[in-house]
Amino acid sequence: MCTPVQTSAQTSTQAAAPAPAVRSLPRIGDKAPDFTAITTHGEIRFREWQGDKWTLLFSHPADFTPVCSTELTELAKRHKEFESRNFKLIGVSVDSIHSHLAWVENLAKILDTRLPYPLIADVDKKVSELYGMIHPGESSTVTVRALFFIDPKATIRAIIYYPLNVGRNVDEILRVADALQTADAHSVACPVNWKKGDKVIVPPPKTEKEVEARNALSNVERLDFYLVKKSL
Ligand code: BEZ
């Protein structure tokens, strides 16, 4: 039912794998590649499925594995927090649709949590390869833990990768979602460790005129001409 997972540690004693073919992977600012796929909610065309929502497209290494089980059920428990941010969630792994369906039932049984979002069955690795989710140095057979934050205009706005042995942090995923939406809504940037409600950064000036305009701002925390914070 599960795809065998081969990690880099297991392959380290074997002959080095041939260098992967150079291919352009989606990057921040690129349009999110479109695709059709079989999912646990039926066949979808990604762009149509996304509609006018933000989307978190995430990969997990394999069904019926412990860390993935904790991650996917935690995302399910906190699904309303994504919905309230206008975010849709969709998962992908190289497992079959039968494996996904069985795992969804198993998670509902053993962890009392039903996944409200679809899982893509990417047996032919079409989606995983399109999005660069397979990192052969980590595993040549399964996807790493990738997160793609895609805005309503289908532009990739943030990408985060984790290895097979580190589970993701849902608070951090939500923090990135908040930061992207806050930056867009107020034309600001979010500083280190920022979380919703904290002060934001007024973008640095690019001309002397902008420096002047910035010097005239009131109700801001001015640390220097290029480092100005404000509350929203
Ligand atoms: C896990 O989810 O527990 C896992 C999956 C693949 C490799 C290692 C761990």
Side-chain angles (χ1 to χ4, degrees):
M1 196 172 287
C2 311
T3 310
V5 177
Q6 195 173 50
T7 65
S8 52
Q10 288 166 326
T11 55
S12 62
T13 53
Q14 297 165 5
V22 178
R23 107 170 54 87
S24 170
L25 298 176
R27 287 173 293 196
I28 292 174
D30 288 352
K31 279 282 171 244
D34 198 13
F35 56 83
T36 53
I38 305 293
T39 83
T40 49
H41 291 189
E43 188 169 345
I44 61 157
R45 175 170 282 280
F46 182 59
R47 190 69 48 76
E48 257 169 43
W49 174 86
Q50 181 186 13
D52 60 356
K53 305 273 189 197
W54 285 76
T55 294
L56 180 70
L57 169 65
F58 63 94
S59 56
H60 69 274
D63 296 354
F64 294 97
T65 54
V67 177
C68 298
S69 299
T70 61
E71 287 186 316
L72 271 68
T73 51
E74 186 63 14
L75 285 168
K77 285 181 197 146
R78 301 190 63 178
H79 190 243
K80 284 206 167 15
E81 293 175 67
F82 286 95
E83 276 184 334
S84 70
R85 289 162 171 85
N86 203 29
F87 258 84
K88 287 176 106 171
L89 267 54
I90 186 163
V92 55
S93 77
V94 298
D95 295 281
S96 71
I97 192 67
H98 304 292
S99 172
H100 279 345
L101 292 171
W103 190 38
V104 166
E105 290 308 312
N106 185 249
L107 291 174
K109 188 170 138 204
I110 67 167
L111 295 175
D112 199 21
T113 307
R114 185 161 285 280
L115 307 188
Y117 50 79
L119 293 180
I120 296 168
D122 193 33
V123 188
D124 59 5
K125 300 189 174 143
K126 191 173 76 181
V127 177
S128 315
E129 284 175 357
L130 200 55
Y131 278 83
M133 292 164 165
I134 295 178
H135 296 196
E138 176 71 347
S139 169
S140 55
T141 55
V142 300
T143 46
V144 294
R145 302 180 196 279
L147 297 161
F148 287 80
F149 296 76
I150 301 168
D151 74 15
K153 291 189 176 143
T155 300
I156 297 172
R157 300 293 303 279
I159 305 171
I160 314 179
Y161 295 115
Y162 293 76
L164 302 190
N165 55 5
V166 179
R168 288 159 281 197
N169 182 314
V170 178
D171 287 328
E172 171 61 5
I173 299 171
L174 289 165
R175 191 190 76 88
V176 173
D178 284 339
L180 289 169
Q181 293 181 342
T182 299
D184 281 6
H186 301 278
S187 301
V188 294
C190 298
V192 62
N193 295 340
W194 178 90
K195 52 189 175 358
K196 208 165 186 172
D198 288 353
K199 285 184 179 175
V200 294
I201 303 276
V202 183
K206 291 184 283 302
T207 61
E208 285 181 9
K209 207 165 178 186
E210 284 180 14
V211 173
E212 241 174 73
R214 157 173 304 227
N215 287 340
L217 286 176
S218 55
N219 294 327
V220 295
E221 182 187 344
R222 196 185 319 274
L223 296 143
D224 206 325
F225 82 98
Y226 67 93
L227 180 49
V228 177
K229 294 184 184 179
K230 70 173 183 182
S231 300
L232 291 174

